[in-house]
Amino acid sequence: MARVVVNVMPKEEILDPQGKAVVRALGRIGVDGVSDVRQGKRFEIEVDDSVSREELERVASTLLANTVIEDYEVVEGE
Amino acid sequence: MARVVVNVMPKEEILDPQGKAVVRALGRIGVDGVSDVRQGKRFEIEVDDSVSREELERVASTLLANTVIEDYEVVEGE
């Protein structure tokens, strides 16, 4: 049994209103020096050894990310 | 200018209906061997050198995570 992490982030060219809202809130609580925030999703997945890398990529691209607007990365052994 | 990542995940003892929904969907698309999925948030933050580690922890604990139900970790230089 191993842990796999899938990170899903909005593509660079996609507006990220949630991240922008965080930047504005940072200013209000007195934190300067933050130029950009992007908000995405993190999935922590417990898999057994029967699940291949190809299967994980398929899960990430079809089920976890909307690849029209989001990029993903599959990180094993984090 | 450096990138800092803040990972926010539901605490272990908190039910995670989004993650459970992913597990059920995996079964429907024919992926067995996944025992658990937890869904959280990933923030990618661009900060300059004036922002201290303590400030980042404060931002994570007050603005990005709801520490009643979520754990967070601040990862520098990812």
Side-chain angles (χ1 to χ4, degrees):
Chain A
M1 195 64 70
R3 165 167 298 180
V4 176
V5 171
V6 178
N7 293 318
V8 176
M9 298 300 296
K11 285 181 187 287
E12 287 297 327
E13 66 268 27
I14 300 289
L15 288 174
D16 177 11
Q18 293 174 300
K20 293 285 176 292
V22 173
V23 173
R24 284 194 301 274
L26 286 170
R28 288 198 296 272
I29 67 170
V31 177
D32 297 318
V34 174
S35 57
D36 193 37
V37 177
R38 311 274 296 167
Q39 179 174 345
K41 289 174 281 188
R42 173 184 169 95
F43 297 91
E44 293 181 355
I45 304 174
E46 304 294 328
V47 299
D48 65 29
D49 299 339
S50 72
V51 181
S52 66
R53 177 82 194 193
E54 288 67 33
E55 233 167 355
L56 289 171
E57 293 278 342
R58 185 164 67 89
V59 166
S61 63
T62 60
L63 204 60
L64 305 181
N66 175 353
T67 56
V68 177
I69 58 170
E70 293 169 327
D71 291 322
Y72 67 89
E73 61 171 348
V74 178
V75 186
E76 292 182 76
E78 188 179 306
Chain B
M1 196 63 71
R3 165 166 300 180
V4 176
V5 171
V6 178
N7 294 318
V8 176
M9 298 299 297
K11 284 182 188 287
E12 286 297 328
E13 65 270 25
I14 300 289
L15 288 173
D16 176 12
Q18 293 174 301
K20 292 287 175 293
V22 172
V23 173
R24 284 195 299 275
L26 285 169
R28 288 199 296 274
I29 67 171
V31 177
D32 297 317
V34 174
S35 58
D36 192 38
V37 176
R38 309 277 294 169
Q39 179 173 345
K41 289 175 280 188
R42 173 186 168 93
F43 296 90
E44 293 181 354
I45 304 176
E46 304 294 327
V47 299
D48 64 29
D49 298 338
S50 72
V51 182
S52 67
R53 177 82 193 192
E54 289 66 35
E55 234 168 354
L56 289 171
E57 294 278 342
R58 186 165 65 90
V59 166
S61 63
T62 60
L63 203 62
L64 304 182
N66 175 353
T67 55
V68 177
I69 58 170
E70 293 170 326
D71 291 322
Y72 67 89
E73 62 170 348
V74 178
V75 186
E76 292 182 75
E78 187 179 306

